């Protein structure tokens, strides 16, 4: 039984269709989202139940919805924390409301849903918690600071959770995609994705990095993304025979950027090792 958040559009919807099609069509799916019962593009795939769940709701409300989900099939085997949003703006000019909205969905929403589900998995000593992070959780891009901050915090939550629940027989993995054509930039009614710089000093960099097209062209094939995720979770395809990972990077751009970041950090540690060790106790 799979429970997917943010299943109305983008990766969540693609993952839902992948799970409901051969050879995964035996999977039972609980597709959740904000007002999903009204917003879902019909027809509903086989073996799929729709359940309204807004991840920004208070924890008691989310816990109640998870109890409803558990009553459908009696268990949740795989939780996919997919719900996410992004906004573009200068760090100096980011409004508190916008920043809080990003964190409420991308971080706190995932934390609350995970808390509500893990207690049931812990009782059964079986289950997998999946997070959809981002390559930008490792490498920040100009004008996407809010998104990068939230995904960076999410990857630390996933890593910490993995250390806590692995001894209980549970699994955790975070997938960190690079650029893919999805609905991540789609906003709620009355909101805008991009907030061009107000300060003229940032305009040249903004135009140079993004021009008039917003997000740079993606290198990843969004149709292959769900297949890779399902393969890792089920240990099939390219994941056959490999130990279950705490994180998987998806996409050539994310792979290159994160590899470069790791190499830069190793070089930085070597260059500043004397300072790092200078604060040790004597003797």
């Amino acid at each position: 039984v799979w429970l997917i958040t943010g299943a109305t559009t983008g990766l969540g919807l693609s993952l839902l269709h992948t799970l409901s099609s051969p050879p995964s069509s035996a999977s039972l799916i609980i597709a959740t989202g904000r007002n999903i019962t009204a917003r879902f593009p019909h027809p509903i795939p086989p073996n799929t139940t729709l359940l309204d769940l807004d991840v920004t709701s208070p924890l008691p409300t989310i816990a109640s919805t998870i109890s409803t989900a558990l009553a459908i099939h009696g268990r949740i085997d795989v939780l996919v924390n997919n719900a996410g949003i992004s906004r573009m703006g200068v760090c100096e000019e980011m409004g508190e409301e916008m920043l809080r909205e990003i964190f409420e969905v991308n971080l706190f929403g995932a934390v609350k849903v995970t808390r509500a589900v893990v207690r049931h998995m812990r009782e059964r000593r079986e289950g997998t918690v999946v997070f959809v992070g981002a390559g930008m959780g490792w490498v920040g891009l100009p004008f996407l600071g809010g998104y990068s901050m939230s995904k960076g915090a999410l990857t630390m939550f996933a890593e910490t959770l993995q250390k806590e629940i692995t001894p209980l027989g549970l699994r955790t993995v975070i997938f960190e995609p690079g650029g893919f054509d999805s609905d991540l930039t789609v906003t709620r009614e009355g909101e805008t994705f991009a907030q061009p710089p107000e300060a003229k000093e940032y305009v040249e960099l903004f135009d140079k990095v993004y021009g008039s097209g917003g997000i740079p062209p993606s290198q990843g094939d969004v149709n292959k993304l769900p297949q890779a995720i399902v393969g890792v979770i089920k240990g099939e395809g390219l994941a056959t025979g490999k130990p279950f990972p705490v994180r998987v990077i998806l996409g050539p751009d994310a792979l290159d950027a994160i590899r470069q970041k790791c190499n830069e950090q190793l070089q930085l540690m070597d260059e500043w090792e004397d300072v790092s060790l200078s604060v040790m106790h004597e003797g």
Side-chain angles (χ1 to χ4, degrees):
V1 180
W2 295 59
L3 187 145
I4 307 170
T5 69
T8 52
T9 59
L11 174 58
L13 183 60
S14 296
L15 182 60
L16 169 58
H17 285 301
T18 296
L19 289 169
S20 61
S21 304
S24 298
S25 51
S27 300
L28 300 173
I29 309 150
I30 303 172
T32 75
R34 182 176 53 89
N35 299 324
I36 192 171
T37 51
R39 298 170 57 212
F40 191 83
H42 294 273
I44 299 172
N47 301 326
T48 299
T49 302
L50 303 184
L51 186 64
D52 290 329
L53 172 62
D54 186 342
V55 299
T56 65
S57 299
L59 179 59
T61 302
I62 290 175
S64 176
T65 304
I66 293 303
S67 294
T68 301
L70 286 161
I72 297 172
H73 299 296
R75 69 186 193 278
I76 296 171
D77 299 305
V78 181
L79 165 64
V80 182
N81 287 293
N82 167 71
I85 60 172
S86 182
R87 299 287 184 270
M88 181 186 292
V90 179
C91 285
E92 179 189 340
E93 299 172 353
M94 275 192 298
E96 183 178 343
E97 183 178 348
M98 181 185 77
L99 194 58
R100 286 185 180 276
E101 180 188 22
I102 293 171
F103 271 78
E104 282 293 341
V105 177
N106 294 357
L107 177 63
F108 298 128
V111 170
K112 287 183 288 187
V113 174
T114 298
R115 289 180 62 189
V117 173
V118 161
R119 61 185 297 262
H120 300 283
M121 291 181 170
R122 174 171 49 79
E123 291 171 358
R124 295 174 50 233
R125 299 188 70 86
E126 184 178 11
T128 301
V129 181
V130 180
F131 298 94
V132 178
M136 278 188 279
W138 285 70
V139 182
L141 292 181
F143 313 114
L144 285 167
Y147 182 72
S148 291
M149 283 188 282
S150 67
K151 291 299 186 178
L154 184 66
T155 195
M156 287 298 100
F157 175 63
E159 189 173 301
T160 303
L161 183 72
Q162 188 261 355
K163 291 178 170 64
E164 293 178 352
I165 68 175
T166 295
L168 308 180
L170 309 183
R171 306 189 305 174
T172 305
V173 60
I174 182 167
F175 293 96
E176 298 177 317
F180 286 86
D181 292 324
S182 67
D183 295 321
L184 186 63
T185 60
V186 174
T187 61
R188 299 183 180 187
E189 186 176 352
E191 298 176 345
T192 58
F193 167 69
Q195 295 185 354
E198 296 179 5
K200 64 180 185 300
E201 291 85 351
Y202 295 114
V203 172
E204 182 179 353
L205 177 61
F206 185 90
D207 291 341
K208 178 181 179 181
V209 174
Y210 297 108
S212 59
I215 297 293
S218 63
Q219 294 180 289
D221 184 343
V222 70
N223 296 314
K224 295 179 179 179
L225 199 54
Q227 301 169 18
I229 291 173
V230 172
V232 170
I233 296 169
K234 291 188 173 184
E236 300 173 346
L238 295 175
T240 301
K242 295 183 178 180
F244 195 76
V246 66
R247 62 169 44 85
V248 177
I249 301 163
L250 295 171
D253 52 346
L255 189 64
D256 289 344
I258 294 174
R259 180 176 282 125
Q260 179 179 340
K261 175 70 172 286
C262 290
N263 289 333
E264 289 172 352
Q265 293 306 302
L266 289 172
Q267 181 179 345
L268 194 65
M269 285 189 291
D270 289 340
E271 290 175 353
W272 291 89
E273 183 176 6
D274 54 346
V275 177
S276 299
L277 299 179
S278 67
V279 297
M280 294 175 58
H281 283 295
E282 295 296 334

